[in-house]
Amino acid sequence: SFVLSPGEENIKDEVKIQSLTVPKTASNSSYYQKVELAKVKDLPLKTKVEVQGQVSVLPNTFSKNIMYLTGSGIQVYFSKAEWPELALGDLVSLKGTLSESYGEKRILLKDKVDLQVLANESLELPKQIDSSNIGEEFEGYYVQLQGELVEKQSYKLFFLDDQGEFIVYLKQNTGLKSSLYKVGDKLLITGIVTEYNGEYR
């Protein structure tokens, strides 16, 4: 555009031209917001985040595309599955986009370079819970609880503890089968709290 200059040469409006060149902001696709892992799930979907966390489930345990970060845990999904070498307990930094699958929040990785191992550490102990804690508050957490097996439906096992009933789902990649257990068994279970279409397990 131009500045009015009657009787003189037209002058470009420098202010308007400069307004077209803006610095990168949160709305730009390359921006990642550094956030504590505990606060990630409170953000809107499609938020680009940079987080740190400890690896509690390695890729190829539940699926070749999935790993979990512990503490205030969350699933990390990488469609390319080009993971760097990882070990349980590794402290990692990653950049990705907040997403959701079957009701469970997760971080989508785009490229291998978006995941960096910061330190090799021992995996922290699982959080001790009971059936009353299995829900949104502990989704993605690395946990341990006890119960009595009361029913089996293929890979889905139903348990009772003093607080009520809870479900344990045996992911096929783990190699665990329901035939390893019988109704009446009292078992100590260590795993990740997940959500599938509103069902927590």
Side-chain angles (χ1 to χ4, degrees):
S1 61
F2 295 91
V3 177
L4 294 176
S5 51
E8 298 179 12
E9 183 180 345
N10 290 331
I11 303 170
K12 290 184 180 180
D13 184 351
E14 297 296 333
V15 174
K16 288 188 179 180
I17 290 172
Q18 288 175 3
S19 71
L20 297 175
T21 309
V22 295
K24 289 181 179 179
T25 66
S27 63
N28 291 115
S29 61
S30 60
Y31 178 84
Y32 290 90
Q33 177 181 341
K34 284 189 178 180
V35 61
E36 291 178 30
L37 195 57
K39 298 179 180 177
V40 169
K41 294 178 197 169
D42 298 329
L43 298 172
L45 296 180
K46 298 186 179 179
T47 301
K48 293 183 179 298
V49 295
E50 181 176 350
V51 299
Q52 291 185 12
Q54 192 177 30
V55 177
S56 58
V57 174
L58 289 167
N60 296 310
T61 303
F62 292 168
S63 161
K64 69 177 183 177
N65 305 100
I66 290 172
M67 77 171 195
Y68 275 86
L69 300 182
T70 193
S72 304
I74 195 164
Q75 182 190 126
V76 179
Y77 184 87
F78 190 13
S79 61
K80 295 179 183 177
E82 296 172 348
W83 304 97
E85 188 173 338
L86 296 167
L88 285 176
D90 278 352
L91 179 65
V92 299
S93 174
L94 62 87
K95 295 176 181 178
T97 305
L98 189 61
S99 178
E100 190 174 81
S101 177
Y102 297 100
E104 182 176 3
K105 293 279 182 72
R106 64 186 188 177
I107 297 173
L108 301 179
L109 282 184
K110 184 177 179 184
D111 292 303
K112 184 176 180 177
V113 294
D114 294 329
L115 174 62
Q116 303 292 324
V117 177
L118 304 177
N120 302 110
E121 300 178 352
S122 297
L123 180 60
E124 67 180 49
L125 295 174
K127 186 171 184 63
Q128 302 296 310
I129 66 167
D130 58 41
S131 62
S132 67
N133 303 124
I134 298 178
E136 181 72 28
E137 182 183 358
F138 287 97
E139 182 184 297
Y141 276 59
Y142 176 51
V143 299
Q144 189 172 75
L145 70 168
Q146 299 180 52
E148 180 180 347
L149 180 59
V150 294
E151 186 182 347
K152 301 193 298 184
Q153 293 179 3
S154 186
Y155 287 94
K156 190 184 275 190
L157 308 180
F158 296 83
F159 285 83
L160 279 177
D161 66 8
D162 292 339
Q163 304 302 315
E165 186 177 83
F166 62 96
I167 295 168
V168 173
Y169 189 82
L170 306 175
K171 294 291 284 185
Q172 293 182 32
N173 275 30
T174 64
L176 296 172
K177 299 181 185 301
S178 61
S179 60
L180 296 169
Y181 316 104
K182 62 182 185 296
V183 171
D185 282 350
K186 292 179 180 171
L187 300 170
L188 179 66
I189 301 111
T190 305
I192 303 293
V193 177
T194 65
E195 180 185 358
Y196 187 84
N197 287 337
E199 177 183 88
Y200 290 93
R201 53 202 193 180

